[in-house]
Amino acid sequence: MPAAKTHVSLNVSDVTQSVAFYEAFFGEKAHKLRPGYANFDLESPALKLALNESAVTTGGALNHLGVVLDSTEAVNATRERLAAANLITLDEGDTVCCHARQDKVWAQDPDGNSWEVYVILDDMQDGAFEAPPSETQPVGCCTPKARGLSLSMAKTSGGCGCS
């Protein structure tokens, strides 16, 4: 198969707000803008992201989205870029989550979709570093909401316009 790219299409409540968020999040301009529609054609990560303006319902099957990077330095660079774009982030350094030890940063788009940018420090195939489940560390994948953490966006001038 020639160069593969993942395609994700999201329903968004406001294309303009979402484009501003994703341009800041990915550090790239939108590839195509049309009334009620936009897309990003990214090389790194290899992603074709489409945004379709329509009624957004919350609580659907989507848990969260993510980008896996190859180093803690790359995660730190992303963290700095997101901060420079005035996006509020949630930092989780050297954390055990989703049955792996990771460094990560989270951001949330205007419609509440959580994105994690992370590096796997230890895949924990042998379970050597995994902490036993507890009430504060639920079994399964650990989104900020599932872990009782808050990831809220602030409305910023020139930013994504999230509230």
Side-chain angles (χ1 to χ4, degrees), residues 35-161:
Y37 176 84
N39 78 41
F40 292 79
D41 193 3
L42 306 169
E43 295 302 317
S44 180
L47 175 67
K48 183 75 165 180
L49 175 67
L51 306 173
N52 300 282
E53 191 165 273
S54 74
V56 174
T57 59
T58 58
L62 179 64
N63 183 282
H64 70 280
L65 303 154
V67 177
V68 184
L69 300 178
D70 61 0
S71 70
T72 295
E73 293 77 19
V75 173
N76 290 338
T78 298
R79 182 179 289 115
E80 291 170 12
R81 184 176 52 73
L82 297 178
N86 294 319
L87 297 183
I88 292 178
T89 60
L90 175 65
D91 293 327
E92 290 190 291
D94 195 20
T95 188
V96 173
C97 181
C98 299
H99 308 284
R101 193 166 60 92
Q102 307 167 6
D103 278 335
K104 67 173 74 183
V105 61
W106 291 89
Q108 194 173 68
D109 79 6
D111 291 300
N113 293 304
S114 295
W115 280 85
E116 67 176 327
V117 178
Y118 66 103
V119 61
I120 296 172
L121 303 172
D122 185 337
D123 206 19
M124 296 174 27
Q125 292 291 60
D126 61 3
F129 298 101
E130 190 157 9
S134 71
E135 288 181 25
T136 59
Q137 191 80 321
V139 176
C141 206
C142 317
T143 62
K145 184 178 179 182
R147 296 177 66 191
L149 303 171
S150 174
L151 183 77
S152 61
M153 301 300 298
K155 192 169 190 167
T156 58
S157 62
C160 70

